[in-house]
Amino acid sequence: ALSFSSVSSLVIENTSFSNISGPVLKITNCMKFQINFTTFSQINTRFYSNNIITINIGEHVYCKGVIIFLNKCRFLSNTYRSGVEINFQIHKTCQAGELVKNKFHMTVSGSIFYNGKTNYGKSMFYFKRSRSNEPTGPPHMNFLFSSCAFLWNQGREGSCMSIEHANTIVVEHSISKNNRAFKLGGCMNVAESNNLIINNSSFTSNRVTNNMYHGQQKLAGGAIYANNIEQVILINDTSFVLNEVSDSIKHLNAKTVSGGAIYIRRVTQL
């Protein structure tokens, strides 16, 4: 893997990574970076917890802010055991006061996530605050997914994106089609965050179905699963067509099957 640590600014563009067995990029404490016009294809991360791109912010370094851009990138036909395409964690050294003052932003625009597959990993894009070293205070990481396509991906929870402990997640002018999760959120799983905004997008033929790896469990949210959103969920000018939740392997007996298109659990304002 290529590894970058503690550089003030990083740009990767017009690059192709393909037919690689293992992780590709590890970016640690780079407070401003962008990846443009770059393709990641047919990458097989065969071992547990291997990811194509791993982003760690605030790991052993006091962090005041981060700005990340992924522009017109393509993730094509990559496979994983338990890793994901983009794994992003924030550590305890990103303290609440600095998060409020500076804001943390990640923008993914004009990018394609196609035919990514993982049996044990959650999704293609996974973000959460570090489990072993939680930051203090409320979440303040902001995400914008604009003009993106999420097609034929599969994972355990939110096959395309699983985001926990963020401030605001915005999805706009994007399409999600034929994605599959084995537990929650055929396309998206959002939890313990402040705001979820979806505008002018479409969710078509996404589904949640159990499999031999994930059997007797709750199945919910054919397209979107949202849990404990503290402030607002806003869905505007967006279509949901032929999304479903099904107990496809009957002898495994899923505990519950809920929310064919959207499942929302605990929200302050809808």
Side-chain angles (χ1 to χ4, degrees):
L2 296 176
S3 182
F4 301 92
S5 180
S6 300
V7 298
S8 59
S9 183
L10 171 67
V11 177
I12 298 172
E13 62 184 13
N14 296 317
T15 304
S16 179
F17 300 93
S18 64
N19 295 300
I20 296 172
S21 296
V24 177
L25 295 174
K26 183 175 182 181
I27 300 171
T28 304
N29 298 327
C30 296
M31 305 316 171
K32 182 177 182 181
F33 68 87
Q34 53 185 303
I35 303 174
N36 303 321
F37 304 99
T38 294
T39 298
F40 303 84
S41 65
Q42 298 183 16
I43 294 167
N44 183 1
T45 61
R46 295 173 294 176
F47 302 103
Y48 285 100
S49 301
N50 277 350
N51 313 294
I52 288 185
I53 302 175
T54 299
I55 304 168
N56 289 315
I57 301 298
E59 187 175 18
H60 311 302
V61 173
Y62 191 74
C63 178
K64 295 184 178 182
V66 61
I67 299 175
I68 302 169
F69 293 97
L70 269 68
N71 180 44
K72 295 186 177 179
C73 293
R74 300 189 300 167
F75 296 83
L76 309 176
S77 299
N78 301 306
T79 58
Y80 317 89
R81 187 172 176 86
S82 67
V84 298
E85 294 192 324
I86 303 173
N87 187 340
F88 183 4
Q89 289 196 359
I90 283 184
H91 297 262
K92 189 173 182 179
T93 44
C94 299
Q95 296 293 334
E98 292 293 346
L99 285 164
V100 172
K101 180 180 178 181
N102 295 283
K103 296 287 187 181
F104 283 30
H105 297 275
M106 181 169 185
T107 298
V108 182
S109 64
S111 295
I112 299 172
F113 296 78
Y114 171 76
N115 197 35
K117 291 182 170 63
T118 175
N119 283 323
Y120 295 99
K122 283 196 172 185
S123 64
M124 298 303 101
F125 178 91
Y126 179 49
F127 168 81
K128 75 170 296 180
R129 300 194 294 185
S130 172
R131 180 180 300 173
S132 62
N133 209 7
E134 293 286 353
T136 57
H140 290 280
M141 187 72 206
N142 299 290
F143 293 93
L144 170 62
F145 296 86
S146 181
S147 301
C148 292
F150 302 93
L151 309 170
W152 296 96
N153 301 291
Q154 74 175 34
R156 181 162 53 93
E157 299 176 18
S159 64
C160 300
M161 67 179 77
S162 184
I163 297 176
E164 304 172 31
H165 303 289
N167 179 37
T168 297
I169 303 104
V170 177
V171 178
E172 63 180 21
H173 314 302
S174 296
I175 61 173
S176 302
K177 187 174 183 179
N178 291 318
N179 301 291
R180 178 189 180 190
F182 302 125
K183 186 177 179 181
L184 305 172
C187 181
M188 295 177 60
N189 171 42
V190 178
E192 310 294 335
S193 298
N194 286 340
N195 304 288
L196 173 60
I197 299 170
I198 301 173
N199 184 48
N200 192 26
S201 295
S202 65
F203 295 82
T204 305
S205 298
N206 302 290
R207 59 195 176 115
V208 174
T209 59
N210 53 7
N211 69 356
M212 295 303 296
Y213 300 100
H214 310 288
Q216 297 178 349
Q217 59 188 2
K218 175 180 179 179
L219 306 176
I224 299 172
Y225 180 86
N227 178 33
N228 200 16
I229 305 302
E230 295 291 339
Q231 296 179 19
V232 173
I233 294 178
L234 174 62
I235 300 175
N236 179 56
D237 194 22
T238 293
S239 65
F240 294 85
V241 179
L242 298 175
N243 301 286
E244 66 172 343
V245 179
S246 64
D247 186 4
S248 61
I249 303 178
K250 299 298 182 183
H251 71 273
L252 294 179
N253 297 320
K255 291 181 179 178
T256 59
V257 177
S258 308
I262 307 171
Y263 184 92
I264 297 173
R265 182 172 181 263
R266 293 199 298 267
V267 61
T268 301
Q269 183 177 343
L270 177 63

